Amino acid sequence: MIQNIFADALMAAIPDLPEDQIRAGIEIPKEKTMGDFAFPCFRLAKAFRKAPAMIAPEIAEKLKDNPLFEKVEAVGPYVNVFIDKEHWAQSVIRDFMEADQYGSGTEGIREDGTRKNIVLDYSSINVAKPFHIGHLRTTVIGNSIKKLHEFLGYNTISVNHLGDWGTQFGKMAVAYQKWGDPETVDARGVRGLMDLYVRFHEEAKKDPSLDDEARAAFTRMENNDEEILSLWQRFVDISLKEVSRVYDLLDVQFDSYNGESFYRDKMDAPIALLREKGLLKESEGAQVVDLSEFNMPPCLVLKSDGSSIYATRDIAAAIYRKNTYDFAKCLYVTATEQILHFSQVFKVLELMGFEWAKDLVHIPYGYVSLEEGKLSTREGNVIFLEDLLNEAIAKTRDIMNEKNPDLENLEEVAQQVGVGAVVFHDLFNNRIKDVTFSWDNVLNFDGETGPYVQYTFARCSSVLRKAGEMEEQVPDASKLTDEYAQEIIKLIEDFPNRVREAAKKYEPYIISRYTVAVATAYNKFYHENSILNADDPETRYARLYLTKMVAYILKTGLSLIGVKAPERM
Ligand code: ARG
């Protein structure tokens, strides 16, 4: 990192100031014209017994002759430096060449070479409910966080904690037995199951005894009644079959589909432990953990009829995951409405004495709405994600047919760009922010979009293709000192930091925005400089090498947010 040069020089110039204070003190000036880095001298006033504005010129004087600095200035209490451009480019190129996979890391690898495990619970769909665009967020955010951690050396275990247990399945079973037609349900899939669910509620309004039947059916499920469980299994299979088509489009995979039903026989031990620790209290017939001390409502563990609930299964699931995967962290990606649920569950686990409860992290995200109006299941205007993705592909196909009708694998590219556009759009903002989905924003090839970044990658690929085979050599950094090349160099230098920041904050948008910045910088460079027709072979090679680095950064950056990078489009 180039900043080290400045830190080293400062350490030599101010030997009395500890290294960490020097490093922490370095700033990046807001105005580029002020310099690449700045060091404020306020903290030195006491030791030097001088005003900061008097100290700055002294330090500047000591740094002045360092050939790695193009210019050193004292401005008021600040020492500002401009790094030598050639040196800067050289240092970034060296880092890039030396790395196996530039930007990746070893944070996830222990000294003995073993990898730390990260469990990621995301997507976690509800069986027999639509996979709508709201669920897209947990899926793509989770997938990106997974890729970011893998890039940093962690071993990841992605879990689809299926919502496949609960009284609603008793209702489904009753409805299916009464009115279900296997052929219609097979043909209509989840829509067919939803029809039955709606019908159940309509009929139950007229005939409340249906609710009793449903409860009885669920009790049979809980008692492992084979007949009813085979019905339930059908619902699960129908849902999984449908959702797997979406996962294929998104290229998302899971290591485990252990959902809520998986824990139905794993709750006795945790409940016994809760009892033993005196944590369970009776409240209106139900068993709860009192959390008033922590300013939270009580966590319901057992309903008055003795049945478990969502939270009980999450308690059991966390323990199972710790025992099975010995995770360094276990992450849960859901909408903000579950913030309280996870705070309660994590707190209960902590009270149970599990030291690792501190390693459980909830990653909430905001809502998605369609431009036309809010998405809602109740109003019946649900947009199925699969339809939305297929529409994105169709729209992209139309655009491609106009722009580049001769493209060989047009269908494949339309899929990568169409789906990529939707994913990119979803990951473009701080995840807590609500998102409004509008086609114009999603598919704009010139805006801050997936297609724009993909298009820039295809541009780089085209330049490199036209250049033909190149013998790998160290490019001449003195040819990359123009303003446009320098802008790219600085962005490339920042890639490893951005990856770490995105992983640490669980924020894919840091990467998506970064790829837009790199693409924009490259497009400016491309328009301002001749690459293939550069004046001399050294300049040509240096610019091609820069193009190669940009291509790598864009492709890797996109892959970290789960978006493909076609070479032609
Ligand atoms: N199925 C739930 C939903 O769609 C999300 C489950 C999240 N994971 C968990 N372990 N609770 O709202």
Side-chain angles (χ1 to χ4, degrees), residues 173-238:
V174 170
Y176 191 85
Q177 279 170 328
K178 287 196 189 301
W179 317 294
D181 163 41
E183 263 171 47
T184 320
V185 172
D186 275 347
R188 287 187 42 80
V190 170
R191 282 179 172 88
L193 296 177
M194 284 165 66
D195 294 344
L196 285 171
Y197 198 65
V198 170
R199 172 117 186 233
F200 180 91
H201 281 275
E202 279 166 8
E203 306 264 350
K205 264 188 224 151
K206 291 178 264 168
D207 176 6
S209 75
L210 280 173
D211 282 318
D212 299 329
E213 269 187 64
R215 254 189 299 275
F218 183 58
T219 307
R220 277 170 67 200
M221 273 172 66
E222 292 211 289
N223 293 330
N224 284 321
D225 177 302
E226 264 181 41
E227 189 196 343
I228 201 125
L229 278 182
S230 79
L231 262 185
W232 164 82
Q233 188 63 51
R234 274 195 73 153
F235 307 150
V236 175
D237 292 344
I238 289 171

Side-chain angles (χ1 to χ4, degrees), residues 333-555:
V333 188
T334 79
T336 46
E337 62 189 357
Q338 296 196 34
I339 289 179
L340 176 62
H341 163 77
F342 284 107
S343 310
Q344 290 176 310
V345 167
F346 297 170
K347 184 51 88 180
V348 170
L349 286 158
E350 183 192 317
L351 294 173
M352 289 168 87
F354 295 116
E355 162 279 323
W356 47 262
K358 64 177 187 349
D359 304 322
L360 305 169
V361 186
H362 180 222
I363 302 173
Y365 59 82
Y367 288 91
V368 191
S369 53
L370 286 179
E371 224 174 11
E372 297 93 280
K374 269 251 171 213
L375 292 169
S376 158
T377 321
R378 242 164 292 136
E379 285 153 33
N381 61 345
V382 216
I383 310 281
F384 279 67
L385 185 54
E386 187 178 6
D387 297 341
L388 184 112
L389 291 177
N390 283 327
E391 192 169 340
I393 296 169
K395 283 184 194 289
T396 310
R397 194 184 296 125
D398 290 347
I399 299 173
M400 312 279 327
N401 267 324
E402 227 169 76
K403 285 198 173 210
N404 193 355
D406 301 330
L407 193 65
E408 240 173 61
N409 52 343
L410 192 139
E411 198 46 45
E412 190 189 346
V413 175
Q415 178 171 326
Q416 296 182 337
V417 175
V419 172
V422 174
V423 172
F424 195 94
H425 179 262
D426 210 274
L427 295 177
F428 195 63
N429 286 300
N430 190 314
R431 63 185 147 71
I432 217 78
K433 227 176 124 175
D434 292 347
V435 178
T436 308
F437 188 94
S438 94
W439 284 117
D440 289 345
N441 292 337
V442 173
L443 286 175
N444 183 349
F445 277 50
D446 300 314
E448 298 178 311
T449 61
Y452 171 72
V453 177
Q454 288 172 318
Y455 184 75
T456 311
F457 171 75
R459 165 172 278 168
C460 294
S461 305
S462 153
V463 169
L464 294 169
R465 243 186 343 259
K466 284 184 195 143
E469 283 286 313
M470 295 189 290
E471 207 183 309
E472 171 105 4
Q473 44 179 301
V474 181
D476 180 350
S478 73
K479 308 294 184 193
L480 298 174
T481 54
D482 65 282
E483 163 188 359
Y484 304 101
Q486 284 283 306
E487 179 76 27
I488 299 175
I489 289 288
K490 289 174 191 175
L491 281 165
I492 296 177
E493 183 187 31
D494 216 21
F495 184 52
N497 292 333
R498 305 274 179 122
V499 170
R500 276 151 194 80
E501 193 192 348
K504 197 166 146 210
K505 297 185 174 160
Y506 310 115
E507 283 287 13
Y509 88 91
I510 291 171
I511 300 297
S512 50
R513 296 209 170 218
Y514 170 76
T515 61
V516 168
V518 174
T520 307
Y522 183 78
N523 287 323
K524 275 199 204 129
F525 171 81
Y526 177 89
H527 288 296
E528 295 297 331
N529 291 309
S530 316
I531 301 175
L532 292 165
N533 300 318
D535 292 340
D536 57 89
E538 288 75 28
T539 306
R540 183 178 188 269
Y541 184 76
R543 289 179 178 166
L544 281 169
Y545 199 84
L546 190 66
T547 303
K548 184 174 145 170
M549 293 198 287
V550 169
Y552 167 86
I553 297 276
L554 293 181
K555 186 173 178 157

Side-chain angles (χ1 to χ4, degrees), residues 249-290:
L249 282 175
L250 293 171
D251 193 16
V252 166
Q253 293 85 23
F254 294 92
D255 300 302
S256 160
Y257 280 88
N258 288 339
E260 294 188 45
S261 69
F262 180 76
Y263 299 100
R264 61 186 192 261
D265 60 355
K266 296 176 181 58
M267 287 178 282
D268 292 348
I271 290 168
L273 182 61
L274 280 165
R275 266 215 185 91
E276 200 180 295
K277 298 234 166 192
L279 290 165
L280 283 188
K281 268 198 188 163
E282 174 152 346
S283 163
E284 294 166 37
Q287 298 288 317
V288 305
V289 179
D290 179 26

Side-chain angles (χ1 to χ4, degrees), residues 121 123-126 135 161-163 260 310 314 321 332 334 338 341-342:
D121 174 328
S123 200
S124 298
I125 56 144
N126 297 321
H135 283 114
H161 185 80
L162 298 177
E260 294 188 45
Y310 184 52
D314 260 329
R321 290 173 189 173
Y332 301 79
T334 79
Q338 296 196 34
H341 163 77
F342 284 107

Side-chain angles (χ1 to χ4, degrees), residues 50-322:
K50 263 186 220 164
M54 307 276 287
I55 306 169
E58 280 179 29
I59 297 178
E61 187 57 34
K62 289 191 191 164
L63 303 186
K64 211 179 68 217
D65 297 328
N66 190 329
L68 301 178
F69 302 134
E70 197 175 88
K71 193 161 75 174
V72 182
E73 275 175 348
V75 180
Y78 287 90
V79 182
N80 293 348
V81 296
F82 294 80
I83 305 285
D84 177 72
K85 296 191 177 70
E86 178 181 341
H87 183 80
W88 199 327
Q90 210 167 45
S91 140
V92 173
I93 290 167
R94 194 186 319 115
D95 287 350
F96 184 87
M97 287 186 135
E98 278 172 7
D100 262 348
Q101 267 197 306
Y102 180 72
S104 66
T106 54
E107 281 82 339
I109 309 177
R110 294 191 196 87
E111 262 174 38
D112 65 2
T114 57
R115 286 171 196 268
K116 297 180 194 161
N117 285 341
I118 300 261
V119 174
L120 294 114
D121 174 328
Y122 61 102
S123 200
S124 298
I125 56 144
N126 297 321
V127 164
K129 294 241 182 85
F131 191 45
H132 62 74
I133 132 166
H135 283 114
L136 176 65
R137 303 215 70 197
T138 163
T139 310
V140 297
I141 292 170
N143 186 46
S144 172
I145 294 176
K146 168 183 154 125
K147 304 227 158 180
L148 283 162
H149 280 86
E150 282 170 353
F151 202 49
L152 293 177
Y154 291 91
N155 179 46
T156 60
I157 299 113
S158 33
V159 181
N160 201 321
H161 185 80
L162 298 177
D164 58 359
W165 205 246
T167 41
Q168 70 271 29
F169 293 99
K171 296 179 186 174
M172 285 292 315
V174 170
Y176 191 85
Q177 279 170 328
K178 287 196 189 301
W179 317 294
D181 163 41
E183 263 171 47
T184 320
V185 172
D186 275 347
R188 287 187 42 80
V190 170
R191 282 179 172 88
L193 296 177
M194 284 165 66
D195 294 344
L196 285 171
Y197 198 65
V198 170
R199 172 117 186 233
F200 180 91
H201 281 275
E202 279 166 8
E203 306 264 350
K205 264 188 224 151
K206 291 178 264 168
D207 176 6
S209 75
L210 280 173
D211 282 318
D212 299 329
E213 269 187 64
R215 254 189 299 275
F218 183 58
T219 307
R220 277 170 67 200
M221 273 172 66
E222 292 211 289
N223 293 330
N224 284 321
D225 177 302
E226 264 181 41
E227 189 196 343
I228 201 125
L229 278 182
S230 79
L231 262 185
W232 164 82
Q233 188 63 51
R234 274 195 73 153
F235 307 150
V236 175
D237 292 344
I238 289 171
S239 289
L240 283 184
K241 187 171 146 208
E242 210 159 297
V243 82
S244 68
R245 292 201 299 266
V246 175
Y247 291 150
D248 285 349
L249 282 175
L250 293 171
D251 193 16
V252 166
Q253 293 85 23
F254 294 92
D255 300 302
S256 160
Y257 280 88
N258 288 339
E260 294 188 45
S261 69
F262 180 76
Y263 299 100
R264 61 186 192 261
D265 60 355
K266 296 176 181 58
M267 287 178 282
D268 292 348
I271 290 168
L273 182 61
L274 280 165
R275 266 215 185 91
E276 200 180 295
K277 298 234 166 192
L279 290 165
L280 283 188
K281 268 198 188 163
E282 174 152 346
S283 163
E284 294 166 37
Q287 298 288 317
V288 305
V289 179
D290 179 26
L291 298 174
S292 54
E293 206 186 311
F294 311 99
N295 290 321
M296 282 187 267
C299 180
L300 181 61
V301 174
L302 291 174
K303 290 198 273 191
S304 50
D305 62 5
S307 59
S308 61
I309 65 151
Y310 184 52
T312 330
R313 297 190 274 276
D314 260 329
I315 293 167
I319 297 170
Y320 173 85
R321 290 173 189 173
K322 183 66 195 179

